[in-house]
Amino acid sequence: MTARRFAAAVVIAVFAAGCGSARAAGPHTITLTLVRHAQSAGNASGLIDTSTPGPELTPEGWCQATLAAGQLSSNQYDGIYASTMIRTQETATPVAQALGEPVSVLPGLREIEAGQYEGQPESNAKAYLAVPMRWLQGDRSARIPGSLDGNEFDARFDDAVQHIYDSGEQNPVAFSHGGAIMLWVLMNVRNPDRSLLTSKQLPNMGRVVVTGNPSDGWTLTEWDADPPPC
């Protein structure tokens, strides 16, 4: 064998071994933190508002986001994401500034559209959540009147999570919305507690932590529904 052929054979062997190791290693595990935005003008109005880009944070909301930034930034997130809605991007800003990281915007993180319940009092949220409750019971084809069904919602949020996973980050944080976070988590983790949707709804700045990956699935490790300090 000539020196040139020998060198080529070595390169091919090393490349093949590397591919084999990558296949053997399989999908890696990440820790994904999902945080509901701080109080928005929509929240303060008492009306359901799922429009895009939606309202900004209230002064109280900015207080919540700023105070929470100290605690959240101590987790040293290596990626920061927000939905296309203004309130999540503003909520992410203090954490991003503390960590010196940019905020990446992903459409799939947006809130579940309320359809015919848009603009109605938040006291009607139980009716708004009636169809998503059916998603948790396995009826993902059920559609919120004037909005989307469970399969469409899950695919949209899955796409955002896949994008986050493909970034290679190990400890990312994504700022999203109460309904979207609760429903996606309970629809996708191995250990769902469906009673959380009604017994411990996420307040502004509430957070959920999952570990795993899109291939092997996710495990719920934290559901923080404590009210914010402001």
Side-chain angles (χ1 to χ4, degrees), residues 126-216:
K126 186 175 181 179
Y128 166 36
L129 289 174
V131 171
M133 286 292 287
R134 290 170 59 187
W135 300 348
L136 297 181
Q137 296 163 0
D139 184 9
R140 296 192 178 190
S141 64
R143 182 175 298 276
I144 297 171
S147 182
L148 74 180
D149 68 21
N151 291 314
E152 293 165 341
F153 161 70
D154 194 47
R156 183 172 74 186
F157 208 100
D158 276 348
D159 183 68
V161 172
Q162 184 70 55
H163 182 96
I164 294 170
Y165 178 78
D166 289 343
S167 72
E169 295 152 354
Q170 298 290 314
N171 185 35
V173 59
F175 291 84
S176 184
H177 306 265
I181 293 171
M182 293 188 293
L183 265 298
W184 181 82
V185 168
L186 295 176
M187 289 169 72
N188 287 277
V189 297
R190 301 185 187 94
N191 56 333
D193 179 354
R194 295 180 178 87
S195 69
L196 291 170
L197 186 61
T198 53
S199 65
K200 288 191 176 181
Q201 291 194 5
L202 292 181
N204 295 117
M205 298 307 302
R207 61 179 174 172
V208 177
V209 181
V210 297
T211 59
N213 58 67
S215 300
D216 298 329

Side-chain angles (χ1 to χ4, degrees), residues 15-214:
F15 178 77
C19 290
S21 298
R23 284 194 297 267
H28 63 279
T29 295
I30 69 170
T31 297
L32 172 61
T33 300
L34 298 165
V35 181
R36 186 188 177 195
H37 60 84
Q39 186 192 70
S40 70
N43 298 144
S45 74
L47 301 177
I48 296 172
D49 189 332
T50 62
S51 62
T52 300
E56 298 183 348
L57 296 184
T58 62
E60 181 172 344
W62 277 109
C63 172
Q64 293 170 351
T66 302
L67 285 180
Q71 179 185 8
L72 292 172
S73 61
S74 68
N75 293 318
Q76 295 299 313
Y77 299 116
D78 53 2
I80 303 173
Y81 298 85
S83 77
T84 48
M85 304 173 92
I86 293 173
R87 53 190 180 269
T88 60
Q89 296 171 37
E90 291 182 336
T91 304
T93 297
V95 176
Q97 291 174 340
L99 294 176
E101 294 275 357
V103 178
S104 299
V105 174
L106 297 176
L109 296 175
R110 65 157 298 172
E111 182 60 291
I112 301 169
E113 294 93 324
Q116 73 174 26
Y117 301 105
E118 185 75 9
Q120 293 191 15
E122 287 190 346
S123 57
N124 291 350
K126 186 175 181 179
Y128 166 36
L129 289 174
V131 171
M133 286 292 287
R134 290 170 59 187
W135 300 348
L136 297 181
Q137 296 163 0
D139 184 9
R140 296 192 178 190
S141 64
R143 182 175 298 276
I144 297 171
S147 182
L148 74 180
D149 68 21
N151 291 314
E152 293 165 341
F153 161 70
D154 194 47
R156 183 172 74 186
F157 208 100
D158 276 348
D159 183 68
V161 172
Q162 184 70 55
H163 182 96
I164 294 170
Y165 178 78
D166 289 343
S167 72
E169 295 152 354
Q170 298 290 314
N171 185 35
V173 59
F175 291 84
S176 184
H177 306 265
I181 293 171
M182 293 188 293
L183 265 298
W184 181 82
V185 168
L186 295 176
M187 289 169 72
N188 287 277
V189 297
R190 301 185 187 94
N191 56 333
D193 179 354
R194 295 180 178 87
S195 69
L196 291 170
L197 186 61
T198 53
S199 65
K200 288 191 176 181
Q201 291 194 5
L202 292 181
N204 295 117
M205 298 307 302
R207 61 179 174 172
V208 177
V209 181
V210 297
T211 59
N213 58 67

Side-chain angles (χ1 to χ4, degrees), residues 213-227:
N213 58 67
S215 300
D216 298 329
W218 302 93
T219 299
L220 173 61
T221 61
E222 182 179 351
W223 185 287
D224 182 0
D226 291 333

